[in-house]
Amino acid sequence: MGLFDRLKQRLTRTRTAISDGLSGLFRGGREIDNELLDELEEMLFTSDLGSEAIELVDQLKRQHKRGELKGEDDVRASLRAALLERLDTEPAEIVLAHSPTVVLVVGVNGSGKTTSIAKLAQRFTSQGKRVIVGAADTFRAAAADQLEIWAGRVGCDIVRKNEGADPAAVAYETVDRALREGHDLVIIDTAGRLHTQSNLMKELEKVRRVVAKRLEGAPHEVLLVIDGTNGQNAINQAKQFTQSAEVTGLVVAKLDGTARGGAIFGIRRELGLPVRYIGTGETVEALEAFEPQTFVDAILAVRQVSANS
Amino acid sequence: MFQSLTQRLSGAFDRFRGEKELTESNIEEGLRDVRRALLDADVHFQVAKDFVDSVRERALGQAKIADKGVSASDQFVAAVHHELVELMGPEDARLQMAKSGPTVILMAGLQGAGKTTTCAKLARLLVTKHAKRPLLVAADVKRPAAVEQLRVLGRKLNVPVFHQEGLGPADVCERGVAHARAQGNDVVILDTAGRLHVDDELMDEVAEIARRTSPDDQILVVDSMTGQDAVRSAQEFHSRLSLTGVILTKFDGDARGGAALSLKKVTGCPILFLGTGEKIEDLDAFSAERVAGRILGMGDVVGLVEAAQDKIDETEAQAQYERLVMGSFTLEDMLAQLRMIQNLGPLKKVMGMLPGVGQQLDNLDIDDKHIKRIEALCTSMTARERLQPDLIDMGRRRRIARGAGQDVGAVNQLLKQWKQMKQLMKVMKKMGMGAGMGSKAKRAALEGFSPSGELAADLGGGGMLDKLGGAARGLGGAAKGLGSMMGLGGGGGLPEGFDPSMLAGGGVPGARGKSATRKATSARDKDKQKAKNKQKRKNRRK
Ligand SMILES: Nc1nc2c(ncn2[C@@H]2O[C@H](COP(=O)(O)OP(=O)(O)OP(=O)(O)O)[C@@H](O)[C@H]2O)c(=O)[nH]1
Ligand SMILES: Nc1nc2c(ncn2[C@@H]2O[C@H](COP(=O)(O)OP(=O)(O)OP(=O)(O)O)[C@@H](O)[C@H]2O)c(=O)[nH]1
Ligand SMILES: [Mg+2]
Ligand SMILES: [Mg+2]
C-alpha cells in the first residue's frame, strides 16, 4: 500500500472525509479564472510550499492567459508536472555500498531522528543485513534508553554510553565495533539541536571527523530528519545542517497527519537535497522510500481548512 | 529567495519613506509584501489575509490624523506592530489554579512538540517561583523510554514522578491525581503521549484523560517551527479538549513565530509561555510586545513613534547626527561591524593577521543569535543612545533590557564590548583600515540612517542594512589593502586587554552559544556543569 492509499485510509477514519482538493476547487462546474487560481494558491500554501506556491500559480496564470488550460484536467496535469519537475527522479533508497556503510542522522529537536533510525534498522535487518546503531545522543534525558529499547525490538546491536559522554567517542566506538564484528550498516543517532546553535553544529563536525578517522570516507550518508509538520523554517534547517554536517539526503517524518511537507521543494531548490524516506507513523514499519508521484498526489489532494471555524 | 519577515517588512516599509501620508493606493503595495512576509513566516494563509485587512483599516484610519512629525512609514510600522500585538495578546501568562484540591495541568500536543520537557520546566517554575509542590505524572505509555525521560527530569528537579506499570494512560492520570491528593502535592502535571489530531483513537484517549481528571489547565504544546498545519491540529485539539492555553516551544531558534499568530487566532486561548531552550530553566512568560518586536525585528515601536513626533527641527537633528556619527564609533557602527564580520569571510581572515589575534581567532564565533541579541538591544534604544552610548545610565539600561527581553547584564556586556571595539577600531584606523570604515562605510550607513528614516533603519533591514551591504563591500576592499600591507610586515598591536572572544557569543551572559573550545569533548558540558552547580547550590540551601 502506497503513501497515498495509507493517507487516504487514515484520513477517512476521521470524521471529515478527505476530498480531492483540486477537484473540490472545480466543484459546481467552475470556470478557470483568477479567483479560482488564487484559491489554488492557498491550497498549495496549506501544504507549506511557501513562495513556491506563488511561482507555481503565476505559471498557471500565464498558461491560462495563453489559453492553454481548458479545465480541471489541464490544471492538474500542468501542476503535477511542475511539482514533479522540482523533485528528484533518482532512486531514493540508501545503498549499502561499503562495508560497513555508515549513516549519520542529524536534525532539530524532536524531529523524529531516533524513531527513524529504528525504522531504518528494521528495514535493513529484515533484508538480512547486520545493523548496529550508536547512541551518540548523550544529552537528552533517556535518549540512549529510547534507542536501546528500539534496538531490542528490532533485533540489532547498539553501542551506548552514559549520559554526558562524548558523542564523538560513541560514534567512533560504534564504527570500530562494526569493523571488528562485520556489520553491514552503522547508523548513528545524534542529539537534537537547533541549526542556529553554532557550538552544537561544531560538535557534529567533530563527530564526522572522528568517524572518518576510524573509517576513511565515512560517514557515507548524512541524513537530515525533518519534521514534516514544520513550515518554511525547514529550509533554514537544511541550509545550516548541510553547511556543518554535509547532509546527503532527507527523511521527512510525521507525514501521516495532515501536513504535507511542502518545504522540501524549497530545500530541493536551494540545496538540491533528495528526499530518501518518509515517516508515516510511530511503528518500525512506518517508513517508506520516497516516491515523487505519490508525494505530489498527496499535495493535490489537500483539503482546505479555514482558520475561522 | 527566502527572506526573513524582518527583511521583507522593512522592504515593504521602505516604500513609504518620503511619502507624507498613507493613501489607499500607496498602502497596497506594502500590504502585499506584508502578506508574503507573513506567509514566509508560516502564518496561516487565512490569518495572514485577515491580518492584512485589519492593518489596512487601521493605517488608513490613522492617515486622517497624520501628524507633521510622523512619516508614512512610521505610521505603517506602528499599525503593523499594533495589529500583531493585538492578535497575539492579551498577555495572560497565568495558570488557572484550583480553588480547592490539587491543580491539575494536562499537557497535550503532537509528537515531539516538547511536552515532556515543558512539563519539567513548568514544575521547576512552580517550585521556584510559586512555592508549589508539584507531582509529575508520566502518562505516555507508548513512546519507548518516555517514562524514564520524565523520571530523569524529575530527579534533576527533585520533583516526584508518578507512574504505574501496566495501566492505560487515563488510569495512570486518575491515580496520579489521587496520589497527589494523598501526598499533599498541590499541583499535578500530566505528561501525555504525542498524538496526531487525525488519530481518532488517540484523540479519544486524551479526551478521556481530561474527562476523568477535570484539569484546571489544558495546555497545547506547539513547536514554533510548525507550518500551516498548526491551525489544523490546534483546531482539532481544541475541539476535543477545552484548551486553556498554548505553550510555544523551540523559540530559541530562528523560527519567525508565525505559529504564534495563527494559534491565538484559532484557539482564542492565551499563549502562556515560550520554550527557549532545552534546559529546564528555559521557559519565558509570553509577551506579545516582545514577540511582535522580534517578528518585526525591533524594540519599542510605540516609543519610537512618540520620539519621532517630538522632533522639532529636522535640519538641526540631521546636523547633529552627522557630527555624532562622523566623529565617533557608535553602537550602530559596532552592529555594522559585527554583521560584516559575520557576512564577510575575508575580514575574519584579515583580523587573523593582526598580531596577537591569530591564535585566538578560532574562538571567534559570531553567530546569528548573538547578533540578534545585540540587534534587539540596539533597537530597544533611542537613536541618541545608539549614537552616544555614554549616555546610557542605569535607568536607561534597565529600560533597554526590558524592551529587548534580556537582562541588564546583557546591556552591560554590550557596552563593554562597544568600548573594546572602539579601541580596536582606533588601532585599525591607524593601520590603514580607517579608510574603509571611516568614510565609505560610515557614509553608507548614514544614508540609510537619517533622522527621518530612523524607523526604517530600526527595522534592521532594507534601509540601513542594504546600505551596510555596500559598506561591507567597501570594507572588503579595504581589507584586501590591509592584507597586502600586513604582508609587508606592517604591524599594529591590539589595545591592551582586548579579547577577541569578547566579540563572540560566549561573551553575552545567557547566550547558550559558547565559543567552541578546541579540546572540549562535549559542547554541552559547560552548560551542564553550570546547571549542576546550580542544583548543588539549591540542594545545599535545603
Ligand atoms: N506520527 C508520527 N510520529 C512520529 C514519526 N516519527 C517519529 N514520530 C514521533 O515523534 C516523536 C519524536 O520522535 P523521536 O524519534 O524521539 O525524535 P528525535 O528527533 O530523536 O528527538 P530528539 O532526540 O529529542 O531531538 C516520538 O513521539 C515519535 O514517536 C512519524 O513518522 N509519524
Ligand atoms: N531548543 C529547544 N529544544 C526543546 C525545547 N523544548 C523541548 N525541546 C527539545 O525537543 C525535543 C522533544 O522534546 P520532548 O519533551 O521529548 O517532546 P514531547 O512532546 O514530549 O515528545 P513525545 O512525547 O515524543 O510526543 C527534545 O530534544 C527536547 O530537548 C525548547 O524550547 N527549545
Ligand atoms: Mg532522539
Ligand atoms: Mg513526551
Side-chain angles (χ1 to χ4, degrees), chain A residues 107-116 119 137 140 143 146 150 189-193 225 252-257 278-282 286, chain B residues 111-112 140 143-144 149 194 196:
Chain A
V108 297
N109 307 86
S111 62
K113 295 175 292 300
T114 306
T115 312
S116 300
K119 294 172 181 179
D137 179 355
R140 212 210 60 214
Q146 185 187 356
W150 278 125
D189 191 13
T190 61
R193 65 201 71 220
V225 179
V252 187
K254 308 185 197 174
L255 285 183
D256 42 330
I278 58 168
T280 55
E282 296 185 79
Chain B
Q111 286 94 347
D140 180 353
R143 166 169 162 181
Q149 186 187 357
L196 282 177

Side-chain angles (χ1 to χ4, degrees), chain B residues 29-49:
Chain B
E29 210 180 334
L31 286 174
R32 216 180 48 221
D33 281 359
V34 169
R35 176 170 169 271
R36 269 198 75 164
L38 293 172
L39 289 169
D40 270 353
D42 292 323
V43 174
H44 189 264
F45 73 83
Q46 187 66 49
V47 176
K49 221 181 199 173

Side-chain angles (χ1 to χ4, degrees), chain B residues 59-106:
Chain B
L60 289 175
Q62 276 182 352
K64 293 178 191 78
I65 51 159
D67 212 337
K68 28 188 171 337
V70 188
S71 70
S73 74
D74 294 359
Q75 283 180 41
F76 194 71
V77 173
V80 171
H81 183 265
H82 186 100
E83 282 304 313
L84 279 176
V85 172
E86 192 135 290
L87 188 54
M88 288 187 291
E91 289 159 32
D92 191 11
R94 266 175 312 172
L95 296 166
Q96 308 292 320
M97 288 297 163
K99 296 210 173 61
S100 64
T103 298
V104 178
I105 304 174
L106 169 70

Side-chain angles (χ1 to χ4, degrees), chain B residues 336-529:
Chain B
Q337 290 281 304
L338 285 175
R339 285 194 170 284
M340 281 180 239
I341 293 172
Q342 184 195 29
N343 295 332
L344 282 181
L347 181 61
K348 198 168 168 179
K349 272 192 211 123
V350 169
M351 283 187 68
M353 289 184 245
L354 293 174
V357 184
Q359 305 87 326
Q360 295 173 63
L361 213 67
D362 272 358
N363 293 341
L364 187 65
D365 172 23
I366 297 161
D367 61 14
D368 260 357
K369 191 169 167 180
H370 176 58
I371 292 189
K372 281 205 184 102
R373 290 173 68 93
I374 292 186
E375 236 176 347
L377 289 171
C378 285
T379 50
S380 171
M381 297 173 189
T382 64
R384 267 188 75 199
E385 286 166 347
R386 275 193 300 264
L387 299 172
Q388 291 174 277
D390 288 326
L391 280 178
I392 303 176
D393 58 14
M394 207 45 216
R396 285 175 191 257
R397 282 175 204 211
R398 267 197 293 273
R399 194 207 75 238
I400 292 164
R402 213 174 332 117
Q406 299 178 34
D407 54 27
V408 176
V411 184
N412 295 339
Q413 195 70 29
L414 172 63
L415 292 174
K416 202 164 146 195
Q417 287 177 355
W418 165 71
K419 279 211 177 108
Q420 292 206 332
M421 268 191 91
K422 195 166 141 179
Q423 268 180 303
L424 176 67
M425 285 307 129
K426 268 190 203 148
V427 174
M428 288 170 81
K429 208 166 182 172
K430 259 193 239 150
M431 296 185 335
M433 279 193 76
M437 196 51 211
S439 54
K440 223 175 179 174
K442 264 196 186 150
R443 223 173 297 123
L446 201 58
E447 278 169 34
F449 189 83
S450 66
S452 58
E454 228 164 62
L455 281 167
D458 276 325
L459 292 169
M464 170 131 182
L465 292 179
D466 283 354
K467 300 288 163 31
L468 283 176
R473 276 192 293 282
L475 188 71
K480 255 182 236 141
L482 181 72
S484 51
M485 196 188 92
M486 298 293 297
L488 293 172
L494 285 171
E496 220 174 294
F498 176 75
D499 167 13
S501 70
M502 282 293 296
L503 305 175
V508 177
R512 179 153 177 236
K514 293 267 183 291
S515 346
T517 46
R518 233 173 258 145
K519 60 179 196 347
T521 47
S522 158
R524 268 147 166 156
D525 281 354
K526 271 191 196 156
D527 288 336
K528 220 183 272 155
Q529 194 55 46

Side-chain angles (χ1 to χ4, degrees), chain A residues 31-51:
Chain A
E31 295 283 309
I32 302 172
D33 55 14
N34 271 351
E35 198 186 332
L36 182 136
L37 291 173
D38 283 344
E39 282 173 40
L40 178 58
E41 185 181 290
E42 286 171 358
M43 187 188 110
L44 295 174
F45 264 120
T46 318
S47 299
D48 290 314
L49 275 147
S51 39

Side-chain angles (χ1 to χ4, degrees), chain A residues 109-110 140 194 197, chain B residues 110-118 121 140 143 149 191-194 249-252 275-278:
Chain A
N109 307 86
R140 212 210 60 214
L194 293 183
Q197 297 164 320
Chain B
L110 299 178
Q111 286 94 347
K115 295 174 294 300
T116 306
T117 310
T118 310
K121 290 179 179 180
D140 180 353
R143 166 169 162 181
Q149 186 187 357
D191 179 27
T192 65
T249 62
K250 309 178 198 173
F251 217 74
D252 43 323
T276 54
E278 288 179 80

Side-chain angles (χ1 to χ4, degrees), chain A residues 2-247:
Chain A
L3 161 68
F4 186 57
D5 294 330
R6 197 177 296 221
L7 288 172
K8 211 156 187 168
Q9 189 196 49
R10 185 129 205 183
L11 288 171
T12 40
R13 264 200 280 133
T14 66
R15 278 163 293 122
T16 39
I18 183 171
S19 73
D20 185 316
L22 202 55
S23 303
L25 279 183
F26 281 93
R27 192 167 301 137
R30 275 178 73 179
E31 295 283 309
I32 302 172
D33 55 14
N34 271 351
E35 198 186 332
L36 182 136
L37 291 173
D38 283 344
E39 282 173 40
L40 178 58
E41 185 181 290
E42 286 171 358
M43 187 188 110
L44 295 174
F45 264 120
T46 318
S47 299
D48 290 314
L49 275 147
S51 39
E52 298 279 330
I54 297 173
E55 269 173 42
L56 286 163
V57 171
D58 280 350
Q59 187 188 329
L60 284 175
K61 282 181 176 167
R62 283 193 298 273
Q63 288 176 327
H64 178 52
K65 241 188 212 143
R66 292 198 297 265
E68 290 167 15
L69 303 176
K70 297 277 176 304
E72 183 185 336
D73 291 344
D74 290 343
V75 173
R76 181 187 304 277
S78 164
L79 197 53
R80 203 164 182 274
L83 283 166
L84 281 173
E85 200 185 275
R86 287 165 158 78
L87 294 173
D88 237 357
T89 46
E90 276 150 47
E93 282 244 41
I94 292 177
V95 182
L96 305 193
H98 308 265
S99 48
T101 296
V102 178
V103 178
L104 181 66
V105 179
V106 301
V108 297
N109 307 86
S111 62
K113 295 175 292 300
T114 306
T115 312
S116 300
I117 288 168
K119 294 172 181 179
L120 282 171
Q122 166 75 22
R123 196 175 184 87
F124 286 98
T125 307
S126 68
Q127 290 170 16
K129 305 290 181 197
R130 290 197 60 209
V131 180
I132 185 166
V133 294
D137 179 355
T138 57
F139 177 71
R140 212 210 60 214
D145 298 330
Q146 185 187 356
L147 189 65
E148 191 162 37
I149 292 173
W150 278 125
R153 287 189 199 166
V154 169
C156 69
D157 291 324
I158 181 170
V159 169
R160 67 166 292 182
K161 292 189 175 209
N162 291 337
E163 199 181 312
D166 179 6
V170 178
Y172 184 92
E173 214 168 285
T174 315
V175 176
D176 184 58
R177 206 178 126 192
L179 280 164
R180 284 188 283 111
E181 298 181 9
H183 290 88
D184 303 301
L185 173 63
V186 177
I187 316 175
I188 293 164
D189 191 13
T190 61
R193 65 201 71 220
L194 293 183
H195 48 291
T196 49
Q197 297 164 320
S198 56
N199 57 324
L200 296 180
M201 297 306 276
K202 284 202 178 109
E203 186 184 270
L204 283 183
E205 288 169 29
K206 186 183 167 194
V207 171
R208 276 193 67 100
R209 269 200 315 276
V210 168
V211 164
K213 220 178 256 174
R214 184 63 187 90
L215 178 61
E216 217 188 304
H220 309 101
E221 281 276 350
V222 179
L223 291 181
L224 172 67
V225 179
I226 299 262
D227 182 332
T229 66
N230 277 188
Q232 300 308 299
N233 190 258
I235 300 171
N236 292 7
Q237 294 168 26
K239 274 188 201 159
Q240 294 300 323
F241 274 102
T242 302
Q243 218 169 64
S244 306
E246 297 173 41
V247 175

